[in-house]
Amino acid sequence: MRLVIARCSVDYAGRLTAHLPSAPRLILVKADGSVSIHADDRAYKPLNWMSPPCTLKEGTGDEEGVWTVVNKTGEKLIITMEEVLHDSSHELGVDPGLIKDGVEAHLQELLADRIETLGEGYTLIRREYMTAIGPVDILCRDADGGTVAVEIKRRGEIDGVEQLTRYLELLNRDPHLAPVRGVFAAQEIKPQARVLATDRGIGCTVLDYDALRGIEDDKLRLF
């Protein structure tokens, strides 16, 4: 990972255009090729970013100090450096991945046993399908034989959608699996996460923990 703290301005040109005026910011360049620009607030969420696969070109000569990041669809993130305050690189190695809590692990086990919860005709390929960046919670097939990758969370937030997006990019490179579509499953899915998932063509499923365990709701129902 490369960390750069610099006074810079940022321009994004793609489906939308956006401009960040000059200010001190943190720029992260990760081993997967992603580039993100952060301010000293907003928790983990970047001001702007480019997801992999993308390429980073650092300008020379008259273009020195200008970084141009281009993704596979031709969208550009242009970072104009005015003053570099810090520039360092660190090898983090392979991350062991997030260890799920008991509820998430149990949700995974229950959903694998009741895979038809996702839809009629679904069949399980396997749980914990390993990829180069960690295990996909569930890999299955839909009624048409298409491959589906399922990411399970207790609470579905934006970082879970980002995680599933990275898995899908890898899985779709495998000709034996592609095309692979994604399903983001959680007991609760935040509105922002649902919007991002929909924008990326990822389906969303709200899981009822008690129903998966075979426990009937004791509330009166009018149906």
Side-chain angles (χ1 to χ4, degrees):
M1 179 183 290
R2 184 178 178 187
L3 297 88
V4 178
I5 299 175
R7 177 172 291 277
C8 62
S9 59
V10 183
D11 292 279
Y12 178 85
R15 287 173 294 176
L16 302 171
T17 58
H19 174 71
L20 293 173
S22 176
R25 297 188 176 94
L26 168 64
I27 304 166
L28 298 181
V29 183
K30 294 187 178 181
D32 64 2
S34 63
V35 178
S36 56
I37 297 97
H38 298 259
D40 198 12
D41 62 2
R42 300 165 60 93
Y44 60 87
K45 188 175 181 180
L47 296 166
N48 215 325
W49 68 92
M50 191 70 81
S51 299
C54 56
T55 57
L56 167 61
K57 179 182 178 182
E58 297 185 41
T60 59
D62 293 340
E63 295 294 318
E64 186 174 2
V66 177
W67 289 14
T68 303
V69 187
V70 184
N71 68 10
K72 62 182 179 181
T73 62
E75 295 173 309
K76 294 182 179 180
L77 192 65
I78 301 170
I79 307 169
T80 304
M81 307 285 191
E82 298 171 14
E83 181 184 8
V84 176
L85 306 172
H86 175 86
D87 189 346
S88 64
S89 297
H90 307 270
E91 180 60 52
L92 302 184
V94 178
D95 191 88
L98 181 68
I99 298 175
K100 293 182 175 295
D101 66 21
V103 173
E104 287 185 8
H106 199 201
L107 280 171
Q108 182 192 114
E109 180 182 350
L110 290 169
L111 185 58
D113 287 341
R114 297 166 176 79
I115 198 65
E116 67 279 358
T117 300
L118 297 176
E120 186 177 353
Y122 272 68
T123 57
L124 178 69
I125 296 176
R126 68 167 297 170
R127 292 170 51 197
E128 299 287 332
Y129 186 90
M130 187 56 66
T131 74
I133 58 173
V136 177
D137 287 336
I138 289 178
L139 197 67
C140 58
R141 295 196 186 280
D142 60 22
D144 298 321
T147 310
V148 182
V150 184
E151 179 63 25
I152 299 171
K153 300 291 185 188
R154 182 174 56 165
R155 179 179 297 168
E157 301 191 59
I158 284 176
D159 57 348
V161 178
E162 295 285 5
Q163 183 180 359
L164 179 54
T165 299
R166 294 192 292 271
Y167 287 144
L168 290 171
E169 288 171 351
L170 279 179
L171 293 170
N172 274 299
R173 296 176 192 174
D174 186 339
H176 299 293
L177 297 175
V180 185
R181 64 183 180 87
V183 171
F184 189 49
Q187 288 180 279
E188 174 192 1
I189 300 176
K190 296 293 186 181
Q192 300 91 333
R194 188 179 291 275
V195 169
L196 181 60
T198 301
D199 182 66
R200 295 184 177 179
I202 294 171
C204 292
T205 297
V206 176
L207 300 176
D208 185 325
Y209 188 49
D210 287 340
L212 284 172
R213 291 193 297 161
I215 299 175
E216 291 292 335
D217 190 345
D218 61 1
K219 294 178 182 177
L220 294 176
R221 298 181 180 180
L222 297 177
F223 60 82

